[in-house]
Amino acid sequence: MDTIQELLKIDFSYLLISVFVILLSIKLMLSLLTYFMEQFGIETKWMRSRREEHELLLRTSANLAALQKKHTEDSELSDRQNEEIRKDVRKLTDMFLEETIDGLRWKILDSCSALSNGRQYNREMFDHIIHMYDKYEKIMEENNMENGLIEESIQFVRDKYRKYLENG
């Protein structure tokens, strides 16, 4: 019981300040020891691992910056190539469209010319010519193009077809 009474008589503020001063002293001594070791070039395992971690962090940061730069360059290159491909596809589409329009136009005009020169066509041939014209018109409309080259020719074909149907 006397020990408990003795323990209660201890000044805890003095004890707390003493522990704080001791810890502060240890910290100061370690700082001085580290300073002198660095001045004399002595390296401990702890210092070496800290230095290596720092160097690793710097290398990783540099590598990450290089990767980011490479990614940006690759993205720009990919965008340019995609744009070139789009232009090429559009050019090929336009060429195909022109070829299709010219082919249909030529077939219709050729058939009209043959009719005007006296060639006789049957009903299936007239239907085929009119079907080609309808396809021609649809292509022209879908691509916002104007027709005007074969309207009179198709009118001639329709008139001949109407006469053909009337005469049997």
Side-chain angles (χ1 to χ4, degrees):
M1 186 83 133
D2 287 334
T3 56
I4 294 177
Q5 285 180 352
E6 290 289 324
L7 193 59
L8 291 174
K9 290 181 183 176
I10 295 177
D11 186 12
F12 284 106
S13 62
Y14 176 72
L15 180 68
L16 186 63
I17 291 174
S18 299
V19 169
F20 181 72
V21 168
I22 291 171
L23 289 175
L24 195 59
S25 301
I26 291 173
K27 171 69 176 148
L28 180 62
M29 289 172 63
L30 286 175
S31 296
L32 285 173
L33 181 65
T34 304
Y35 173 77
F36 284 117
M37 291 176 82
E38 286 176 358
Q39 292 301 318
F40 292 119
I42 301 171
E43 188 174 50
T44 63
K45 285 183 182 180
W46 177 74
M47 291 170 62
R48 185 177 332 124
S49 68
R50 209 171 91 189
R51 179 182 47 82
E52 288 172 353
E53 285 176 1
H54 179 71
E55 290 171 356
L56 178 63
L57 183 62
L58 291 177
R59 281 194 313 267
T60 303
S61 176
N63 289 340
L64 187 59
L67 282 174
Q68 180 66 34
K69 182 180 176 186
K70 180 68 174 155
H71 173 71
T72 303
E73 290 172 358
D74 289 346
S75 294
E76 290 171 358
L77 177 64
S78 176
D79 290 344
R80 283 194 306 268
Q81 288 174 342
N82 285 344
E83 188 60 35
E84 289 175 16
I85 290 170
R86 274 191 215 101
K87 287 178 183 176
D88 290 344
V89 167
R90 185 67 201 154
K91 186 177 178 182
L92 286 173
T93 302
D94 290 344
M95 288 172 55
F96 177 74
L97 183 64
E98 286 179 26
E99 185 65 30
T100 302
I101 289 171
D102 287 343
L104 287 171
R105 186 181 299 140
W106 183 85
K107 287 178 186 176
I108 293 168
L109 292 174
D110 185 53
S111 299
C112 180
S113 178
L115 268 175
S116 66
N117 288 330
R119 181 183 283 170
Q120 296 296 315
Y121 284 139
N122 59 16
R123 181 178 177 176
E124 289 81 18
M125 191 61 183
F126 279 111
D127 287 341
H128 179 68
I129 294 169
I130 292 171
H131 176 71
M132 281 191 304
Y133 178 75
D134 291 340
K135 189 188 295 185
Y136 173 82
E137 279 293 314
K138 183 180 177 187
I139 291 171
M140 297 296 277
E141 184 179 315
E142 286 174 352
N143 293 287
N144 297 325
M145 300 171 94
E146 290 190 20
N147 182 14
L149 298 176
I150 62 172
E151 288 177 359
E152 289 185 25
S153 297
I154 199 64
Q155 188 60 43
F156 176 77
V157 170
R158 286 185 174 151
D159 290 343
K160 281 285 196 180
Y161 185 46
R162 191 174 310 111
K163 287 179 186 175
Y164 172 80
L165 291 176
E166 289 173 0
N167 294 335

